[in-house]
Amino acid sequence: MQNPMFIQTISEAEAEGKLRTIYEGDIQSMGYVPNHAKVFSLRPDVLEAWRAFQGSIRKNLRLRRYELVTLASAMTLKCRYCCLAHGSILLKNGISNDQLRKILADFRDAGLEPAEVAIMEFAQKIIRDASVITRSDIAALRSLGLEDVEILDITLTATMRSFASKTFDALGAGPDPVYADLERELADLLPA
């Protein structure tokens, strides 16, 4: 089978050392090796550092907020893989299929809390052009009860997603087969 990615990757059968350990951990926790791991397979130290960075941010935000910020960023970045992966996590954590469709179509009219809409708008603004963020953007988040540390974590989540999504898209790391059904269900709302 031809490698669907644009660069050489290391398969599970060929993995050695640190990469083999990472792959084995993925198989144990997820049941498969995700494409995001394979795209970093030539640099397992970068994969390990990225996952540690991602985990250090994620542990400080409520899961739902982390995933909504990530989804908003992925939508703006037009990363199909990340929209599916993080939409899937939302589905497993209290968001219905109908609400996920509404979020993808227009999250401002999807029954989310005002703070959730605001953090998604903020994430999208960061992705589009972070240089236009002003003190008033931060004040608006504070007025909704967000503390500065949470605003930092939201910002880190969005900028980290930019790194990840752009890496995956630039190197052809498409959605994992496990998302095939969800991809069919959401095809009309996903980026090309």
Side-chain angles (χ1 to χ4, degrees):
M1 178 177 158
Q2 182 181 351
N3 178 6
M5 291 187 218
F6 305 154
I7 62 170
Q8 170 193 345
T9 61
I10 299 171
S11 71
E12 294 94 319
E14 300 168 317
E16 298 176 353
K18 183 184 287 190
L19 183 63
R20 182 176 195 78
T21 301
I22 292 169
Y23 279 5
E24 287 171 352
D26 287 348
I27 291 167
Q28 186 175 22
S29 65
M30 293 182 263
Y32 66 101
V33 176
N35 287 338
H36 79 257
K38 291 176 186 173
V39 81
F40 285 112
S41 64
L42 299 174
R43 294 282 186 252
D45 53 328
V46 176
L47 173 59
E48 194 172 58
W50 173 67
R51 284 182 172 177
F53 180 52
Q54 182 181 35
S56 70
I57 297 165
R58 187 179 351 191
K59 73 180 180 182
N60 296 310
L61 281 171
R62 283 182 266 165
L63 177 67
R64 181 176 166 114
R65 283 196 174 176
Y66 175 84
E67 294 301 335
L68 288 171
V69 169
T70 301
L71 185 61
S73 301
M75 289 163 51
T76 306
L77 290 160
K78 297 181 171 124
C79 183
R80 190 177 190 98
Y81 184 10
C82 293
C83 285
L84 287 166
H86 294 279
S88 175
I89 293 169
L90 284 166
L91 287 172
K92 292 175 186 169
N93 289 280
I95 298 282
S96 68
N97 281 356
D98 184 54
Q99 189 174 25
L100 180 58
R101 287 189 62 78
K102 288 178 182 177
I103 291 168
L104 290 169
D106 181 2
F107 62 84
R108 291 164 193 85
D109 189 29
L112 299 174
E113 297 171 9
E116 293 172 333
V117 172
I119 64 175
M120 291 181 79
E121 288 174 336
F122 184 68
Q124 289 191 328
K125 193 170 187 179
I126 291 168
I127 297 300
R128 281 192 302 274
D129 185 358
S131 71
V132 302
I133 303 282
T134 65
R135 289 183 185 277
S136 64
D137 294 302
I138 304 304
L141 294 173
R142 287 180 182 141
S143 75
L144 292 167
L146 279 81
E147 296 180 11
D148 284 5
V149 68
E150 201 170 10
I151 296 167
L152 172 62
D153 288 333
I154 289 163
T155 302
L156 291 170
T157 299
T159 57
M160 187 242 339
R161 181 55 37 206
S162 182
F163 163 78
S165 293
K166 286 177 182 270
T167 299
F168 304 154
D169 284 346
L171 298 176
D176 300 313
V178 67
Y179 303 123
D181 289 341
L182 183 60
E183 190 169 17
R184 279 188 293 279
E185 291 173 31
L186 302 176
D188 59 317
L189 297 169
L190 293 170

